[in-house]
Amino acid sequence: MGKTILFVDDEHTMRTFQSKNLRREGYEVLEADSLAAAREQLNTNWVDMVILDRRLPDGEGLSLLKEINQSNPHMPVIILTAYGNIDNAVEAIKNGAYDYLTKPVDFEALRTRLLRMEETVDLRQELDLWRKRSHVLDV
């Protein structure tokens, strides 16, 4: 089974459309329409990667990005926004975002970024496995 993506966006049509495309690509997709729903998903499910809208009905997506980076600094997050500009992109990256996309989201651009993120996740998991194995051998 593919990696699990949490897709957080309050725009129902866009979120469900992109989620459907991602499922066709082999990803397992969890959806959330608010920060509260996203936190619930993160607390109850395994998530490999996050696609996160910058502005949600109950707050700024960057606040959740900071929480994710504190609890799981290796989880890659793409920030989405309809209000794209250089300052917003720089702020998102400084706060730990893996990447930044403006809406409307081009699926091929999203797919390309997710493939890169997936490679990063795989490499980190492999590195963790090797560290655990070498620790067992050192004991």
Side-chain angles (χ1 to χ4, degrees), residues 54-79:
R54 183 175 170 123
R55 292 190 182 164
L56 293 157
D58 55 347
E60 279 285 318
L62 292 184
S63 66
L64 182 60
L65 173 63
K66 290 175 187 176
E67 291 172 31
I68 291 169
N69 284 325
Q70 287 175 352
S71 63
N72 188 351
H74 299 298
M75 183 182 297
V77 178
I78 294 176
I79 295 292

CSV table of all heavy atoms in Angstrom, one decimal, residues 54-79:
chain,number,residue,atom,x,y,z
A,54,ARG,N,-3.2,26.9,4.1
A,54,ARG,CA,-2.6,27.9,5.0
A,54,ARG,C,-3.7,28.6,5.8
A,54,ARG,O,-3.5,28.9,7.0
A,54,ARG,CB,-1.9,29.0,4.2
A,54,ARG,CG,-1.3,30.0,5.1
A,54,ARG,CD,-0.4,31.0,4.4
A,54,ARG,NE,-0.1,32.0,5.3
A,54,ARG,CZ,1.1,32.4,5.7
A,54,ARG,NH1,2.1,31.8,5.1
A,54,ARG,NH2,1.3,33.3,6.5
A,55,ARG,N,-4.9,28.8,5.2
A,55,ARG,CA,-6.0,29.4,6.0
A,55,ARG,C,-7.2,28.5,6.1
A,55,ARG,O,-7.7,28.0,5.1
A,55,ARG,CB,-6.4,30.7,5.2
A,55,ARG,CG,-5.4,31.8,5.3
A,55,ARG,CD,-5.9,33.1,4.8
A,55,ARG,NE,-4.8,34.1,4.8
A,55,ARG,CZ,-4.8,35.2,4.2
A,55,ARG,NH1,-5.9,35.5,3.5
A,55,ARG,NH2,-3.8,36.0,4.2
A,56,LEU,N,-7.5,28.3,7.3
A,56,LEU,CA,-8.7,27.3,7.6
A,56,LEU,C,-9.7,28.1,8.5
A,56,LEU,O,-9.3,29.1,9.1
A,56,LEU,CB,-8.1,26.1,8.3
A,56,LEU,CG,-7.3,25.2,7.4
A,56,LEU,CD1,-6.3,24.3,8.2
A,56,LEU,CD2,-8.1,24.4,6.5
A,57,PRO,N,-10.9,27.6,8.6
A,57,PRO,CA,-11.9,28.3,9.4
A,57,PRO,C,-11.6,28.5,10.8
A,57,PRO,O,-12.0,29.5,11.4
A,57,PRO,CB,-13.2,27.4,9.2
A,57,PRO,CG,-12.9,26.4,8.2
A,57,PRO,CD,-11.4,26.4,8.0
A,58,ASP,N,-10.8,27.6,11.4
A,58,ASP,CA,-10.5,27.7,12.8
A,58,ASP,C,-9.0,28.1,13.1
A,58,ASP,O,-8.5,28.0,14.2
A,58,ASP,CB,-10.8,26.4,13.6
A,58,ASP,CG,-10.1,25.2,13.0
A,58,ASP,OD1,-9.6,25.3,11.9
A,58,ASP,OD2,-10.2,24.1,13.6
A,59,GLY,N,-8.4,28.7,12.1
A,59,GLY,CA,-7.0,29.3,12.3
A,59,GLY,C,-6.1,29.1,11.1
A,59,GLY,O,-6.5,28.7,10.0
A,60,GLU,N,-4.8,29.4,11.4
A,60,GLU,CA,-3.8,29.4,10.4
A,60,GLU,C,-3.1,28.0,10.3
A,60,GLU,O,-2.8,27.4,11.4
A,60,GLU,CB,-2.7,30.4,10.8
A,60,GLU,CG,-2.9,31.8,10.4
A,60,GLU,CD,-2.7,32.0,8.9
A,60,GLU,OE1,-1.8,31.5,8.3
A,60,GLU,OE2,-3.6,32.7,8.3
A,61,GLY,N,-3.0,27.5,9.1
A,61,GLY,CA,-2.3,26.2,8.9
A,61,GLY,C,-0.9,26.2,9.4
A,61,GLY,O,-0.4,25.2,9.8
A,62,LEU,N,-0.2,27.4,9.4
A,62,LEU,CA,1.1,27.4,9.9
A,62,LEU,C,1.2,27.0,11.4
A,62,LEU,O,2.3,26.5,11.8
A,62,LEU,CB,1.8,28.8,9.7
A,62,LEU,CG,2.0,29.2,8.2
A,62,LEU,CD1,2.7,30.5,8.1
A,62,LEU,CD2,2.8,28.1,7.5
A,63,SER,N,0.2,27.3,12.2
A,63,SER,CA,0.2,26.8,13.6
A,63,SER,C,0.3,25.3,13.7
A,63,SER,O,1.0,24.8,14.5
A,63,SER,CB,-1.0,27.4,14.4
A,63,SER,OG,-2.2,26.8,13.9
A,64,LEU,N,-0.5,24.6,12.8
A,64,LEU,CA,-0.4,23.2,12.8
A,64,LEU,C,0.9,22.7,12.2
A,64,LEU,O,1.5,21.7,12.7
A,64,LEU,CB,-1.6,22.6,12.0
A,64,LEU,CG,-1.6,21.0,11.9
A,64,LEU,CD1,-1.8,20.4,13.3
A,64,LEU,CD2,-2.8,20.6,11.0
A,65,LEU,N,1.5,23.4,11.3
A,65,LEU,CA,2.8,23.0,10.7
A,65,LEU,C,3.8,23.1,11.9
A,65,LEU,O,4.6,22.2,12.0
A,65,LEU,CB,3.2,24.0,9.6
A,65,LEU,CG,4.6,23.9,9.1
A,65,LEU,CD1,4.9,22.6,8.4
A,65,LEU,CD2,4.9,25.1,8.1
A,66,LYS,N,3.8,24.1,12.7
A,66,LYS,CA,4.7,24.2,13.8
A,66,LYS,C,4.5,23.0,14.8
A,66,LYS,O,5.5,22.4,15.3
A,66,LYS,CB,4.5,25.5,14.6
A,66,LYS,CG,5.0,26.7,13.8
A,66,LYS,CD,4.7,28.0,14.5
A,66,LYS,CE,5.0,29.2,13.6
A,66,LYS,NZ,4.7,30.5,14.2
A,67,GLU,N,3.3,22.6,15.1
A,67,GLU,CA,3.0,21.5,16.0
A,67,GLU,C,3.5,20.2,15.4
A,67,GLU,O,4.1,19.4,16.1
A,67,GLU,CB,1.5,21.4,16.2
A,67,GLU,CG,0.8,22.5,17.0
A,67,GLU,CD,-0.7,22.4,17.0
A,67,GLU,OE1,-1.2,21.2,16.9
A,67,GLU,OE2,-1.3,23.4,17.1
A,68,ILE,N,3.3,20.0,14.1
A,68,ILE,CA,3.8,18.8,13.4
A,68,ILE,C,5.3,18.8,13.5
A,68,ILE,O,5.9,17.7,13.8
A,68,ILE,CB,3.4,18.8,11.9
A,68,ILE,CG1,1.9,18.5,11.9
A,68,ILE,CG2,4.1,17.7,11.2
A,68,ILE,CD1,1.3,18.7,10.5
A,69,ASN,N,6.0,19.9,13.3
A,69,ASN,CA,7.5,19.9,13.3
A,69,ASN,C,8.0,19.7,14.7
A,69,ASN,O,9.1,19.1,14.9
A,69,ASN,CB,8.0,21.3,12.8
A,69,ASN,CG,7.9,21.3,11.3
A,69,ASN,OD1,8.1,20.3,10.6
A,69,ASN,ND2,7.7,22.5,10.7
A,70,GLN,N,7.2,20.0,15.7
A,70,GLN,CA,7.7,19.7,17.1
A,70,GLN,C,7.5,18.3,17.5
A,70,GLN,O,8.4,17.7,18.1
A,70,GLN,CB,6.9,20.6,18.1
A,70,GLN,CG,7.3,22.1,18.1
A,70,GLN,CD,6.5,22.9,19.0
A,70,GLN,OE1,5.5,22.5,19.5
A,70,GLN,NE2,6.9,24.2,19.1
A,71,SER,N,6.4,17.7,17.0
A,71,SER,CA,6.1,16.3,17.4
A,71,SER,C,6.7,15.3,16.4
A,71,SER,O,7.1,14.2,16.8
A,71,SER,CB,4.6,16.0,17.5
A,71,SER,OG,4.0,16.2,16.2
A,72,ASN,N,6.9,15.7,15.2
A,72,ASN,CA,7.5,14.8,14.2
A,72,ASN,C,8.2,15.6,13.1
A,72,ASN,O,7.7,15.9,12.0
A,72,ASN,CB,6.4,13.9,13.5
A,72,ASN,CG,6.9,12.9,12.6
A,72,ASN,OD1,8.1,12.8,12.3
A,72,ASN,ND2,6.1,12.0,12.1
A,73,PRO,N,9.4,16.0,13.5
A,73,PRO,CA,10.2,17.0,12.6
A,73,PRO,C,10.5,16.4,11.2
A,73,PRO,O,10.8,17.2,10.3
A,73,PRO,CB,11.4,17.3,13.4
A,73,PRO,CG,11.5,16.2,14.4
A,73,PRO,CD,10.2,15.7,14.7
A,74,HIS,N,10.4,15.1,11.0
A,74,HIS,CA,10.7,14.5,9.7
A,74,HIS,C,9.5,14.3,8.8
A,74,HIS,O,9.6,13.9,7.7
A,74,HIS,CB,11.4,13.2,9.9
A,74,HIS,CG,12.7,13.3,10.7
A,74,HIS,ND1,13.7,14.0,10.2
A,74,HIS,CD2,13.1,12.8,11.9
A,74,HIS,CE1,14.7,13.9,11.1
A,74,HIS,NE2,14.3,13.2,12.1
A,75,MET,N,8.3,14.7,9.3
A,75,MET,CA,7.1,14.5,8.5
A,75,MET,C,7.0,15.7,7.5
A,75,MET,O,6.9,16.8,7.9
A,75,MET,CB,5.8,14.5,9.3
A,75,MET,CG,4.6,14.3,8.5
A,75,MET,SD,3.0,14.3,9.4
A,75,MET,CE,3.3,12.9,10.5
A,76,PRO,N,7.1,15.4,6.2
A,76,PRO,CA,7.0,16.5,5.2
A,76,PRO,C,5.6,17.0,5.0
A,76,PRO,O,4.6,16.3,5.0
A,76,PRO,CB,7.5,15.8,3.9
A,76,PRO,CG,7.4,14.4,4.1
A,76,PRO,CD,7.4,14.1,5.6
A,77,VAL,N,5.6,18.4,4.9
A,77,VAL,CA,4.3,19.1,4.8
A,77,VAL,C,4.4,20.0,3.6
A,77,VAL,O,5.3,20.8,3.5
A,77,VAL,CB,4.0,19.9,6.1
A,77,VAL,CG1,2.7,20.7,5.9
A,77,VAL,CG2,3.9,19.0,7.3
A,78,ILE,N,3.4,20.0,2.7
A,78,ILE,CA,3.2,21.0,1.7
A,78,ILE,C,2.1,21.9,2.1
A,78,ILE,O,1.0,21.5,2.5
A,78,ILE,CB,2.7,20.3,0.3
A,78,ILE,CG1,3.8,19.4,-0.2
A,78,ILE,CG2,2.4,21.4,-0.7
A,78,ILE,CD1,3.4,18.6,-1.5
A,79,ILE,N,2.4,23.2,2.0
A,79,ILE,CA,1.5,24.3,2.4
A,79,ILE,C,0.8,24.7,1.1
A,79,ILE,O,1.5,25.0,0.1
A,79,ILE,CB,2.2,25.5,3.0
A,79,ILE,CG1,2.7,25.1,4.4
A,79,ILE,CG2,1.2,26.7,3.2
A,79,ILE,CD1,1.7,24.8,5.4
